[in-house]
Every structure is written in C-alpha cells, then in structure tokens.
Amino acid sequence: MPNEWQTVLDELKSHLSEMAYGTYFTNLKFITNEDGHLTMSVPSIFVKTSIENKYYQILKDAIAAAGIEYDDIKIILSDKNNKTTVKRAVEILPNTPVKTVNTPIFAAPAVNKTTFENGLNPRYRLDNYIVGSNNDLAVSAAHAVIEHPGERYNPYFLYGGPGLGKTHLIQAIGNEIIKNHPEMRVLYVTTEQFYKDFVDAMKKHLDNFSEKYRNVDVLIVDDFQFIEGKDKSQIEFFHTFNELHQNGKQIIVSSDRLPNQIATVDERLASRLAMGVQIDIQLPDFETRCAIIKAKAEMINSEIQLSDTAVEYLAKNIQTNIRELEGKLNQVLLLAEMRKITPDELISEGLVAPEDPIRHRSVSPKQVVDKVAKYYNLTSKDLYGESRVKDIKNARQIAMYLMNEQLGLSTVKIGNEFKKDHTTIMHGIKVIKTQLKTDFNLRSQISDLREKIYVN
C-alpha cells in the first residue's frame, strides 16, 4: 500500500495548488484498508472538515487513479495531542443553549524557557478562533506557517477592516509556533511600538534595537498601516525584513489594507511584503456571527444562559465587526445579570437596542441607486437605463447586490425597480458575489457603500 498511497499523494499534488496541497494533504496519512473500509488520518478537525466539504471528490479521484479499491472512506483525527484544532462555525451552531461555567477560561500556552518577552497575549489561540467562510483561507495558510515557520508563506501578510480578528489570528500563530517549536524566539509588536523603539534608539544611541528585532525567529508586526508617513522607520523595517527573510526567519504582518494601498510606503518595501502570501479577512456572515457569539459566551464567567433566540437577535443586529459584536454581547450579559433576568427577557422587553439605530431606518431602493451612482460619478438615469458600458453595468449590478444584501429585497422586487426580469437580477448579484471572492478593491468599495447608503 505505501506505493499506491504515494501515487494518491502525487495525484493530489498535481491537481491542487501548492497552498491547498500543503494545507490539507501534507499530513494526510494512510491507516488501513480492511473489508473495503479505507481509513486515513489528518491532524485537525479543520483539515478533516475542509477535505470532506471541498476536496472529497478530488480525493476519491486520486484514490481511483492509484487503483485502490474500497467501499467507503473514513477520515479520522490523528492521535497526536500536540496538534491544534480550531472551531468552525458549523460546529458551534446546534440548537442548544450555551451555559457559561465558573472555570478558568484560558490556559497559557507553553513559553520559551528564556526570559525573552514575546509580547503575545496567551488569550489569543487557534482553539478559540472561529473559522468561517470569511477567514478560512487565512487560517489555512496560518496552519502552514505554524508547521513550517520561515519556509512557507513568508511573509504572511493579513489584511482587512477593523475588528475582524486579525490581531487574534496573528497572535494565535505566534502562540502556536511557541508551543510547537519551543526553541524559537517569537516577537509580537504593534507598528507604533516598532516606531517608538526605533525613535528611542536613535535619540539615545542605543544598540539594542537591532538585537531585539533581528535576533528572532518569528517577527509579528500588527497594524502596519500606521507606518504611513514614517520614512525612516520604513527604511529600518525594510532592512530588518531583508535580514530576517534572508536568514529564513518568519515574518507576519497585519494591516487594514494591502501594502501598495498605503500612501507613502516605499515601493521596495511594498514589493517585499508581497513576496509571500497576502490574504484578507472579510466581514463574517450570519452563521459565523452566531458561532462567534456562542463561543464568546462560553468564555465569560457567568451563570447566564444564552439561547438561540438571543444569539440570532445579536447576530442580525450587529453586522459591522467582531469587536462590536463582542461588546454588545458583554453589555447584554451584564445587563441581564444586573436585572436578574435572562437575555431573552431583555430582548422581548425591548431593553436591547440595535448598536446603530440609523442602520435600521428605512432605506429605499432609489436611495441605494442614487448613492451608488454618485459614488461612481454616474447618474441615477445611467443605472436605470439600458447602457451596456462596462462601468455603468458594473455599478448597476453593485446596486442590485446591495439592495439584496442590505435591504433584503427579493430579485423580483429589485427587478421591478430596474424594470428587468428577475433572472437578470439574479445574474447581476451572482456576478458581484463571484468578483468579491478575488477582487479586493471591489470589497473595499462595497464596504464604503454600505456606510454611505445609511447617511443622509
């Protein structure tokens, strides 16, 4: 079987991207093939679920190409206790209430035996990070970085809007690297801390700056966008980057935008940061928001029960980012505890208001069209018309998408607004959804428009 199994792996490698194979199949192990039951193991729930949901047919085809006969396939978790698992949204949504417990929530990860200060918060771990469609690619690459620091996806550049979990994920990578590679020196800093250390070193003629930042195995820099306008700090970071990267050290950076979208950032530095992998985190969908609320509730030291009704209310009314979602959850649980009632009673009595009431005021389809047209320097008449000019057609489809996503309008109602068949509307919405998967500029534009349609 070893030869046949190697053929399976070779087939998978030839049909998958390097990232997909490295993330999901590098540690796929053959266990047995007895009585037609082909059993293999993977290191984590995340990998198991991903293979079953995304790559099952490809796996079956590879097995068939290797000439292996079987009746069914079973994927199990490996017995290694040091492998990290993550929670997926679909794993946390059974219809059972969450009851928090009075036990210590966080266990500090293993730390380096030296007195080296790594700057990491032990609360940020992969096993309390919720994986959904908005961040699964980022987590996939994170696993590869944890397994092989400095070898794959270096640098690892993570970007996205505020409050979407970037800091949690990059610090979780650092904590997991320390746990899996205790001999490695990991350093987490914000860009502001890097800037402050550099200025202090310049003023006081200190030599410990380079020792701190270049004598590490993994450098994690958060909020890189704040390096904008700091020319000398950029130069220093450029040289630090070069030395670490040349020596095979892992570099992890987060930002609210891509390097080449940050004004005044040196082109050489932006180019270096694009050498590895650039992955964004998007707004979580409804399912993922529900999972996040349930997971956060489990971490709070309280006897309050959080039902599905309360979870869904919060998920529907807080659609901005995870930070605000967590803040509203804390507010609800605190208020319920103070009043000695349940979160459901708070909600039913109208004591929990939406975070941003303006978002829930009535917005008409015409207002969406007007805002989109203005945003793209067009007229509403352009969008309502029949023009097939690319820019106008694209703006029209974006307006359709926003009516469906933000206003919850059916394709029939949107079709009535544009005087078009509902199948045309369905196509337009699908086009935008497809583009959003890879077009990062479009994601930014859609995010801007979400805000603008609620402003008078």
Side-chain angles (χ1 to χ4, degrees):
M1 182 58 72
N3 291 335
E4 290 89 343
W5 188 249
Q6 186 58 50
T7 301
V8 172
L9 298 179
D10 291 341
E11 281 289 318
L12 290 168
K13 187 178 294 186
S14 68
H15 287 87
L16 294 169
S17 68
E18 181 184 354
M19 176 183 288
Y21 179 82
T23 301
Y24 302 112
F25 294 101
T26 297
N27 294 308
L28 181 69
K29 307 295 183 185
F30 168 78
I31 303 298
T32 61
N33 188 11
E34 298 178 355
D35 300 324
H37 303 298
L38 178 57
T39 305
M40 59 202 77
S41 71
V42 293
S44 71
I45 287 288
F46 171 70
V47 173
K48 179 179 184 292
T49 305
S50 297
I51 292 176
E52 291 173 343
N53 291 341
K54 297 180 180 180
Y55 301 103
Y56 194 68
Q57 188 58 50
I58 294 177
L59 175 60
K60 289 175 63 176
D61 292 345
I63 294 170
I68 300 174
E69 296 182 357
Y70 66 94
D71 294 325
D72 59 67
I73 295 173
K74 184 177 182 181
I75 302 175
I76 64 174
L77 296 181
S78 62
D79 293 331
K80 294 182 180 180
N81 296 323
N82 63 339
K83 295 297 183 181
T84 300
T85 58
V86 294
K87 295 181 180 179
R88 291 192 64 83
V90 294
E91 297 177 58
I92 308 177
L93 290 176
N95 293 320
T96 54
V98 171
K99 183 175 181 180
T100 56
V101 294
N102 290 316
T103 56
I105 301 303
F106 298 104
V111 296
N112 291 331
K113 296 180 180 180
T114 68
T115 58
F116 180 74
E117 294 292 334
N118 58 43
L120 293 168
N121 185 337
R123 293 168 62 94
Y124 294 129
R125 310 189 313 274
L126 280 185
D127 62 7
N128 60 20
Y129 188 78
I130 304 302
V131 182
S133 59
N134 63 309
N135 60 15
D136 56 354
L137 183 60
V139 175
S140 297
H143 276 274
V145 170
I146 292 165
E147 290 289 333
H148 306 284
E151 297 179 21
R152 306 191 59 206
Y153 311 134
N154 191 22
Y156 175 97
F157 191 95
L158 184 67
Y159 68 100
L164 297 182
K166 298 188 300 298
T167 296
H168 186 147
L169 181 54
I170 62 174
Q171 289 211 40
I173 294 173
N175 282 321
E176 294 299 332
I177 288 175
I178 290 174
K179 184 169 68 174
N180 293 342
H181 310 275
E183 76 284 359
M184 287 191 168
R185 290 164 63 93
V186 178
L187 175 64
Y188 165 87
V189 294
T190 63
T191 299
E192 284 298 309
Q193 184 62 50
F194 180 90
Y195 170 72
K196 181 179 180 297
D197 288 347
F198 177 65
V199 171
D200 287 347
M202 293 285 287
K203 287 181 178 179
K204 302 175 183 178
H205 303 287
L206 300 176
D207 296 326
N208 59 357
F209 179 85
S210 293
E211 181 181 349
K212 175 179 179 179
Y213 285 96
R214 301 188 187 186
N215 190 27
V216 296
D217 298 293
V218 181
L219 176 62
I220 306 173
V221 180
D222 205 355
D223 290 325
F224 185 73
Q225 69 273 10
F226 292 122
I227 207 165
E228 182 177 347
K230 300 177 174 69
D231 295 340
K232 291 184 178 180
S233 292
Q234 288 185 38
I235 294 172
E236 180 58 35
F237 186 80
F238 175 79
H239 292 304
T240 298
F241 179 101
N242 283 344
E243 181 165 332
L244 291 175
H245 194 273
Q246 190 171 3
N247 289 314
K249 309 303 183 181
Q250 180 68 48
I251 301 160
I252 299 170
V253 180
S254 83
S255 175
D256 67 356
R257 72 204 86 157
L258 287 164
N260 59 11
Q261 295 174 339
I262 303 173
T264 77
V265 167
D266 184 85
E267 290 184 6
R268 297 177 305 165
L269 179 53
S271 176
R272 293 291 194 281
L273 291 170
M275 289 169 56
V277 62
Q278 299 176 332
I279 307 177
D280 75 321
I281 293 183
Q282 304 172 47
L283 288 169
D285 57 20
F286 175 73
E287 181 188 61
T288 305
R289 293 198 301 274
C290 288
I292 290 169
I293 292 168
K294 282 186 174 260
K296 295 292 184 184
E298 290 176 350
M299 298 177 188
I300 297 174
N301 186 11
S302 170
E303 292 295 329
I304 297 175
Q305 289 191 348
L306 194 61
S307 71
D308 288 333
T309 301
V311 169
E312 292 179 6
Y313 177 86
L314 291 170
K316 287 176 181 176
N317 284 283
I318 309 296
Q319 301 182 25
T320 47
N321 60 52
I322 297 169
R323 193 173 295 139
E324 292 187 16
L325 194 65
E326 184 175 5
K328 177 58 73 173
L329 172 64
N330 289 333
Q331 179 186 345
V332 167
L333 295 182
L334 177 60
L335 189 58
E337 186 175 6
M338 289 176 59
R339 292 177 176 266
K340 306 299 181 185
I341 59 177
T342 67
D344 289 68
E345 291 172 319
L346 277 178
I347 293 170
S348 64
E349 294 177 16
L351 298 176
V352 181
E355 188 70 19
D356 188 359
I358 192 173
R359 288 186 170 275
H360 300 271
R361 69 176 177 82
S362 177
V363 176
S364 70
K366 176 66 165 59
Q367 287 173 306
V368 173
V369 171
D370 291 343
K371 295 288 186 180
V372 172
K374 183 178 180 180
Y375 186 83
Y376 290 105
N377 295 318
L378 300 170
T379 67
S380 298
K381 185 177 179 180
D382 290 331
L383 269 61
Y384 282 121
E386 300 295 331
S387 173
R388 306 292 293 175
V389 173
K390 183 177 179 180
D391 290 346
I392 296 176
K393 180 182 176 182
N394 187 61
R396 184 185 298 130
Q397 291 174 334
I398 288 173
M400 294 173 181
Y401 170 82
L402 288 170
M403 287 181 192
N404 178 254
E405 182 208 47
Q406 294 296 121
L407 308 188
L409 296 183
S410 68
T411 55
V412 173
K413 289 185 178 180
I414 299 172
N416 292 337
E417 180 69 22
F418 284 97
K419 308 244 179 333
K420 297 183 183 298
D421 185 83
H422 79 281
T423 56
T424 301
I425 306 302
M426 291 173 62
H427 172 73
I429 294 172
K430 183 179 180 180
V431 166
I432 298 303
K433 286 184 175 180
T434 301
Q435 290 178 358
L436 283 171
K437 294 179 181 179
T438 56
D439 190 334
F440 305 127
N441 287 328
L442 179 60
R443 291 179 187 176
S444 178
Q445 293 168 17
I446 293 291
S447 180
D448 288 343
L449 283 165
R450 284 194 187 106
E451 299 296 325
K452 291 181 183 299
I453 64 175
Y454 292 104
V455 178
N456 291 322

